[in-house]
Structures are given as structure tokens and as C-alpha cells.
Amino acid sequence: MRGWGLANDLAVSATGLVKKFGTRNVVDGVDIAVPRGAVYGVLGPNGAGKTTTLRMLLGIIEPDGGTRTLLGCTHPRDASDRVGYLPEERGLYPAMKAREAIAFMGALRGLDWATGRKRAGALLEATGLEHAADSKIRKLSKGMAQLVQLLGSVVHQPDLLVLDEPFSGLDPVNQERLEALIYAERDRGATVLFSTHVMAHAERLCDRLAIIAGGKRRFEGTVADARGLLPQRVHYLPKDGDAAVASTLPVDAVREDGGWRFELPAEGIEGLLGRLIAAGHGIAGLSIERPGLHEAFVHIVGRDALEAVA
Amino acid sequence: MSGTSRASTLRRTIRQTLTIARRDFIATVFTPIFLLFLFAPAIMGSFGAIGGLGAASVADGVGDRARIVAVVPNDQARPVAEADTRLRGVFRHEEAPPALTTLAVSADPAKQARAAFAAKDYDASAVLYGPLEHPTILYGARGERAADYLVALAQATLVDRRLGADRPRVEARRLPFSRARPSTGGGHQSAFFAVFGIFFLTLFLAGQVVGTMAEERNNKVIEVLAAAVPLESVFLGKLLGMFGVAIVFVAFWATVVGQIGALMPPSIAAGLGDLAPAVGKPAFAALFIAYFTMAYLLLGSVFLGVGAQASTMREIQMLSLPITILQVAMFALSSAAASRPGSWVATVAEVFPLSSPFAMAGHAANQRGLAAHAAALLWQLLWVAIFISVGARMFRRGVLQSGSAKPWWRRRRRASQPA
């Protein structure tokens, strides 16, 4: 991972973003700092305010409070030609051909039509959709149309790519294609900002992430930072199966999968292992597991909050 | 914001607007449905022609059977017929009185005259009987003019009989003359032509823009557009795209009508020839085009803004009635203005934004001077910008659920701060 931290090296920054729908604060003082060149995830349960935050960052809607900077511009519109965007609600003109749809989206962002068509052909070929280049959108499957729209959001080679729930509705093959495209964009030098509520994608892709719940930012940092919020867990399987081993184990140890599970002691595992061997319990199996992003997410957001939106 | 930055923003706005206009134009024109739209007037005209032919044949039948009847002694039949031939020459064919039938007088001419109205082989409009010096004339429903004509016919016949060859003959020199300035009647005629022409075209064409934003909402492209392009550009682009469609329509039919102009009924052709706008025909033609453009953009921007709030076809269809009423109201106001140039009604119609293009077209027909038109066009353009801006704000607030965008002066202040 690259070293980030300079305030002027941010592709996106927002401080205290607020958005009210009626009397409800759907976004309530969110801060975001996306380093240039990073893949940055905005995570949160359904209704957390992710989409509204992204729309405010892009200038689609205006915040009721706070400030934002997009690629160095205080008004997002001034940077619109350097931004690519895939909205959560996919939308293309059904009567348009795939190549034209991609070129049109490029033209909206300042790319001339001829170059747009040429790049569209190359992008479709690179993603294995060259056969659909001259097909009308209405004749494509939902997944294919979604990929076409994604290609439309990168055809002008933006400095910042914003993807709102990009994996939703894609089959595993197309999810892989999308991941490859995100990596390719990052390798090209673009910053990728995407929202998701699927932890596996965030865990694989994100250099940094923010977790939003109830309109507030609950966490900001790397995936490792998030996972580090929870202690590591030990799964120990004694050789002798003697129930008396419990007296040697930490007090939080509970039986699980024929062995014992407990938090990694603060002093480390070595001393405990020494005591277990000395007591003759032996070691049939031992694993030290770091909690996944999912556990960290649940810990940060709170199970109650997740159940409330479920 | 620096001058270079402002120019760059303007260029980008124009480019984005034209991109959207191009998409809408192509998506509308290059479809089979557009052919139906383009030929709709021909279809309507065909039905009209068929109906018209039927009505005309009925009317001709009635006209062929209509007669004026003179119950006169045999020796007067020929002089009456000759006078009729001479008098009838001053009438246009369609304005001429019904053909003359003479009946030899019988013992009871009054009874004979009444019987003429019951004749089976013709329909009497008016019947003259008795001495030509003091005849009695019976006339039926709508037969007053025929009765008047019979009076004139009797008088002409008497004059011929009494003076004979001594009847004075007038040898007149007839010279064509062109007016130095248009007649009041010619101006009014031109004004009505302009107001009606623009009304007719906008009635057909401007209503199309109502559903364009609903299309974007239904296919969910609006989010893509709103992220890339200011909503004002989206609105203007859509308006220009549909205006392009209107231009294709007008150009097509102007060409067709131009080609078949020779086939136009002489009365209509003569009517067009009588147009005498105060600003002159070339300037009038240019102003007609300019005001049609402004009428389209003004009404279109209002329809676009209102239509953008609708989300279903049903809601859009519900809007068609108020839209038509609004157009007819503007037409009525402008027609009143055209017939009373310089009146307070005319001033109101010329200043009120939605009627201004219609009324100013009428103004061009009635009054000389072009300065007022430059001011009017700028005024109308300003209102197009206002309507688009208001429409975009309503859309942003009502549909995108955003608060009002920052006013431009606040944006400028923020943009001037370091990032």
C-alpha cells in the first residue's frame, strides 16, 4: 500500500457533511478523506446514507451543511470531466447501441464522439463483450448492460471513479471482471471510491475505508485497522480432552468445535502454551485467528443497528 | 472566477448541452414513430380533404340548384337576362348570386311567384314579379342578398330599356398602383397570419417536450446526466433537441407546401399575396422565424419544467389539457393585441413573456421599426433562461430531493477560496 496522508494529496475530502430529508438527518456530519490513487470503500448497512454522501460529493445534490472538495475543486461541477460515476440505480437508453451508449457517457464528460466510439470498442473487447458492441441496450442481459454502463463511466479515463454498489446484480463472473477493472483503473492512476455493504469485496479491494451507519461516520482507516479493533481469537484443541483444562485457560474460554475458543491473552500465547504443556494437556490443534472485516463491521455498526435496517 | 475559467465553464456547458440535444434529436428523428409524426398533417389533411370533398359536393349540389327567379312578360325576359349578364361580371364566381331563371308571367303572378319556391327542378332564393318599376320580391331564408340583387337587376333593366343606345358608356383607364405604405387592413391580415401561424406551429410541436424528463426518470438515466451535467444544461439540451425535431418538421412541410404552392386554392394564394406587414416582407419573415423560435423555447421551457415533475404517462397526459388551454389563451390574447395595435391589451400581450412572441409578431405586421423587436427578443430570451432555471431547481428539489443549489454568487465566493 502506498503512503498517504498529505491533505493536498486527497482526491476527495469532505468535512461535516449534512443532508436532511424533511426533518431527518440522513447524513449527519460525515467526514471523508480519499487519498489520490487509493481504492476507497464506503461501507454501511442499507439506509446508512452512503448513496446520499456520494451524491453530495459529486454535486448531484447539495449538502445542507459541511464542505467538500473534489479533485481540488470546491465546486464538484468544475471537476466533472475528470470524474466517472456508476449510480446505484443503473440507467441507459434502451434504444441506444452499447458502443454509442459508452461514447455518449464519454461525451457528457468531454470526450469527443470519435474517440469515445474507438475506446468503447476496445473496452468492450477487453471485457469480452465485443459481440454486443452494436446491440441495443434493451437486448442485453441486465449484467451485460450494467457492465456497459460501467465502461461508460471509465471511457474518458477519469482521475476519480465513483461506483455506488457496483457489485449488486452481477454474477460471479462479472464480479470478477469488475474487480479486474477496478484494479486496472487504480494501476492507471485513478482513484476509486465505491460504496458497498458486501464485506468480502471491501476486504479484497480497499486500501482504506469508511464505515457509515445512521448517517454518521463510525470508522475511517485501513481494513487492517478495522480488524484490529477486535482482539485476535485463539482456537485450542487439547490432546487429552480433559475437562480440567478449563482451569488453565483464560476465564472467557468457551467450548467450541470440540476445543476451546478464547481471546488472545494480552501477554501473548507463549506463556499459556507453556502452562498447558506443563499440565499435560498437550496441543492437538492451535490457531490464532484475526477477526474478519465482517466481524469488525458488526462491532463498529452494532448488531442492533444492523437488525434495525434488516 | 477568472475570465479564462469562466470561458472554459461556458464552453463545457455548451458542449454538454449540445451532447444532450444531439442525443434527444437522434433518438427522436431516427425512429419509425417519427415518420408517423412527420406525416401526421398529411394524414389529417387527407381526412380533411375527403371530408371537404364530400361537403363541397353537397354544397355544389345545393349551389347548382339555387336560383333567383324573375316572373316577367316574354318581351322583358331577354333584357333582364342581358342586364343580369352585365351585372354578374363584377362578382367573383363564389360571390355571385344564384343563376337567373325567367318565367313568363301568368294570370296570377303572385301565386306563380309563391309556386316558384315549391319548384322541383330548382331552389328559389328570391322571386321577382310585377312591373319592373315597382316589383314585388319574395325571398326565402338567407335570400336577402338575392332580393337586393333582383332590385338592382330590375333597375338596370329599366335603365337599359329607357336609354337604349343612349346609355352612357364609361371608358375608364385602369392602372395598377402600389401603396407607399401598407394598408391597415393588410397589416392586420399579416398580424393575424403571424399570430395564427406561430400558434399553430407551437400547438403542434411545443407540447412534445412535456414528457422528455419523465423518459429520463423512467429509464433512470437522470442520475448519470445529473452527475455529469448541470441540470440547467440537461433542460436546455432537451429543449434544443426537441426544437431541432420541430425545425425538421417545419422545414419538411415548408418545402412540401412551397412545391405545391401552385396548386394552392387561388383565394388562399391571393390572401398570402395581400399580406402587407409594416416592417416589410423580408424582415417580417425573419421576425416570424425568430418569434416562432422564442415561442417554442418559452412554452417548451414551461412545459419541460412542469412535465419534469410528472413521473408517469398518466400524469403527463393529464397535463395536456392545461397546456392546450395555456396555448389557446396566449393565442387569444395575442389575436386581440394584433387587431388593436397600440392598445393596452397589445402592450400587456407584448410584455407578458408567454404571449410576447405571438404579440410581437403581430406588432411587426402592424408597426414599423425594428428596435422594439431586438428588445423583445432579449426579454424573451431572459425568460427562457428564467423558466429553465426554475424548472431545474424544482426538479432538483422535488425529484432529486436536494435542497436548492447554491446561488451562483455564493458559488463564486466559495470558488474563490483556496481548495
Side-chain angles (χ1 to χ4, degrees):
Chain A
M1 197 172 72
R2 305 166 201 188
W4 292 296
L6 292 175
N8 61 359
D9 202 22
L10 295 175
V12 181
S13 72
T15 310
L17 280 184
V18 175
K19 186 68 197 174
K20 294 179 182 178
F21 287 165
T23 55
R24 194 166 63 96
N25 278 15
V26 290
V27 176
D28 192 5
V30 166
D31 298 336
I32 283 195
V34 181
R36 285 184 195 270
V39 176
Y40 194 99
V42 177
L43 279 61
N46 294 330
K50 302 186 296 288
T51 297
T52 306
T53 301
L54 294 184
R55 293 171 93 203
M56 282 192 285
L57 293 174
L58 291 168
I60 298 172
I61 59 176
E62 293 296 314
D64 294 319
T67 59
R68 73 232 146 128
T69 305
L70 195 74
L71 296 173
C73 300
T74 51
H75 195 267
R77 292 281 172 212
D78 296 339
S80 69
D81 284 359
R82 294 188 287 142
V83 177
Y85 175 51
L86 180 75
E88 183 181 16
E89 285 204 327
R90 317 287 187 248
L92 290 166
Y93 294 110
M96 230 179 197
K97 293 177 179 172
R99 191 198 309 271
E100 284 297 302
I102 294 170
F104 170 70
M105 290 171 70
L108 288 176
R109 304 278 187 178
L111 189 67
D112 69 86
W113 283 86
T115 309
R117 286 194 193 95
K118 199 172 160 185
R119 283 191 195 169
L123 285 167
L124 286 164
E125 193 175 341
T127 45
L129 292 176
E130 65 271 24
H131 60 282
D134 292 316
S135 299
K136 290 188 173 176
I137 298 295
R138 69 163 67 97
K139 293 191 175 171
L140 302 182
S141 69
K142 188 182 169 192
M144 285 166 76
Q146 196 165 325
L147 273 182
V148 167
Q149 186 164 2
L150 179 69
L151 298 179
S153 65
V154 300
V155 67
H156 58 298
Q157 299 179 344
D159 295 334
L160 171 66
L161 180 59
V162 180
L163 310 171
D164 193 1
E165 298 284 0
F167 295 97
S168 85
L170 289 182
D171 61 34
V173 174
N174 282 325
Q175 287 189 11
E176 261 186 41
R177 283 173 169 161
L178 174 54
E179 284 196 15
L181 195 140
I182 288 174
Y183 285 129
E185 284 299 298
R186 186 184 62 180
D187 293 345
R188 187 176 59 76
T191 307
V192 181
L193 170 62
F194 74 99
S195 73
T196 184
H197 60 273
V198 181
M199 297 303 119
H201 297 129
E203 198 155 11
R204 274 201 300 276
L205 290 166
C206 291
D207 296 317
R208 292 184 77 81
L209 55 90
I211 295 177
I212 297 176
K216 295 180 187 295
R217 196 196 74 184
R218 305 292 181 88
F219 171 83
E220 206 281 333
T222 63
V223 173
D225 292 341
R227 295 171 68 184
L229 293 174
L230 292 176
Q232 296 184 63
R233 306 280 292 175
V234 178
H235 186 251
Y236 164 64
L237 191 64
K239 197 177 266 182
D240 61 359
D242 185 354
V245 70
S247 61
T248 313
L249 295 173
V251 291
D252 66 324
V254 291
R255 275 199 170 275
E256 190 177 309
D257 297 336
W260 296 85
R261 189 174 291 279
F262 50 89
E263 282 186 10
L264 183 67
E267 74 273 13
I269 193 70
E270 293 82 1
L272 177 65
L273 290 181
R275 288 194 296 277
L276 288 168
I277 291 167
H281 296 300
I283 301 173
L286 178 74
S287 63
I288 301 175
E289 297 160 359
R290 300 188 66 197
L293 185 59
H294 179 82
E295 287 80 16
F297 177 80
V298 172
H299 170 73
I300 292 166
V301 170
R303 194 166 292 279
D304 290 346
L306 284 174
E307 284 169 359
V309 298
Chain B
M1 201 184 286
S2 70
T4 313
S5 172
R6 200 175 294 128
S8 162
T9 303
L10 181 65
R11 269 200 305 275
R12 186 172 63 211
T13 303
I14 292 170
R15 187 201 70 222
Q16 290 170 328
T17 301
L18 293 179
T19 299
I20 290 173
R22 175 190 190 276
R23 203 295 308 181
D24 274 36
F25 178 79
I26 289 173
T28 308
V29 170
F30 293 98
T31 57
I33 296 293
F34 180 72
L35 289 179
L36 192 63
F37 166 75
L38 190 62
F39 290 109
I43 297 166
M44 189 180 73
S46 303
F47 282 113
I50 292 166
L53 282 174
S57 66
V58 170
D60 284 351
V62 171
D64 287 347
R65 290 173 55 84
R67 293 286 186 279
I68 52 173
V69 180
V71 182
V72 290
N74 280 337
D75 61 330
Q76 288 180 11
R78 190 172 171 188
V80 167
E82 285 173 355
D84 175 65
T85 304
R86 200 172 65 249
L87 286 178
R88 194 172 288 274
V90 301
F91 293 103
R92 286 192 184 132
H93 172 72
E94 64 271 19
E95 294 169 350
L100 173 70
T101 294
T102 54
L103 299 178
V105 67
S106 64
D108 187 351
K111 185 180 176 185
Q112 192 179 5
R114 286 194 296 275
F117 284 99
K120 289 182 179 173
D121 49 348
Y122 57 79
D123 294 329
S125 299
V127 181
L128 174 149
Y129 68 94
L132 290 180
E133 290 81 358
H134 42 86
T136 301
I137 298 171
L138 305 178
Y139 62 90
R142 292 185 294 170
E144 294 95 333
R145 287 190 64 232
D148 292 342
Y149 178 76
L150 282 174
V151 173
L153 181 62
Q155 191 164 8
T157 307
L158 282 178
V159 169
D160 287 350
R161 192 170 71 193
R162 292 196 181 155
L163 297 179
D166 295 333
R167 191 179 63 192
R169 305 189 72 82
V170 178
E171 298 292 338
R173 280 198 312 149
R174 292 189 295 184
L175 301 173
F177 179 78
S178 299
R179 289 170 177 274
R181 53 183 304 169
S183 67
T184 306
H188 284 178
Q189 200 172 341
S190 306
F192 184 76
F193 169 81
V195 172
F196 184 75
I198 293 174
F199 163 72
F200 187 72
L201 290 174
T202 51
L203 183 69
F204 262 130
L205 302 169
Q208 283 187 313
V209 300
V210 176
T212 54
M213 287 304 289
E215 178 200 4
E216 304 296 356
R217 289 173 64 180
N218 289 337
N219 58 29
K220 295 169 184 168
V221 179
I222 187 61
E223 187 84 356
V224 174
L225 298 180
V229 180
L231 274 178
E232 287 78 4
S233 292
V234 174
F235 273 57
L236 182 59
K238 298 210 152 287
L239 195 54
L240 292 180
M242 297 314 287
F243 181 63
V245 174
I247 291 294
V248 170
F249 180 91
V250 172
F252 174 81
W253 282 105
T255 307
V256 170
V257 170
Q259 293 301 312
I260 63 168
L263 302 176
M264 214 180 272
S267 56
I268 295 177
L272 289 176
D274 290 345
L275 293 181
V279 293
K281 283 186 179 174
F284 184 66
L287 286 171
F288 181 89
I289 293 167
Y291 286 126
F292 163 64
T293 303
M294 297 314 300
Y296 187 97
L297 294 181
L298 277 163
L299 289 167
S301 59
V302 172
F303 299 162
L304 189 62
V306 174
Q309 299 296 313
S311 52
T312 62
M313 281 312 295
R314 182 182 297 174
E315 287 176 2
I316 290 167
Q317 284 166 353
M318 293 290 284
L319 287 171
S320 64
L321 180 63
I323 281 170
T324 307
I325 289 173
L326 177 69
Q327 286 178 298
V328 172
M330 293 305 102
F331 171 66
L333 180 61
S334 305
S335 298
S339 60
R340 274 168 278 180
S343 66
W344 68 268
V345 175
T347 306
V348 167
E350 286 163 11
V351 172
F352 185 65
L354 292 177
S355 58
S356 182
F358 302 91
M360 286 306 294
H363 182 105
N366 285 323
Q367 296 174 54
R368 300 168 107 179
L370 295 174
H373 297 290
L377 288 169
L378 283 175
W379 172 247
Q380 291 158 18
L381 212 52
L382 172 70
W383 278 97
V384 172
I386 289 171
F387 287 145
I388 286 175
S389 178
V390 170
R393 277 170 184 274
M394 283 167 53
F395 188 80
R396 196 178 283 119
R397 186 182 285 275
V399 180
L400 294 181
Q401 291 201 308
S402 172
S404 299
K406 290 277 185 290
W408 61 271
W409 61 88
R410 285 182 64 187
R411 271 194 261 160
R412 279 186 64 182
R413 201 185 317 150
R414 288 180 64 188
S416 63
Q417 294 166 356

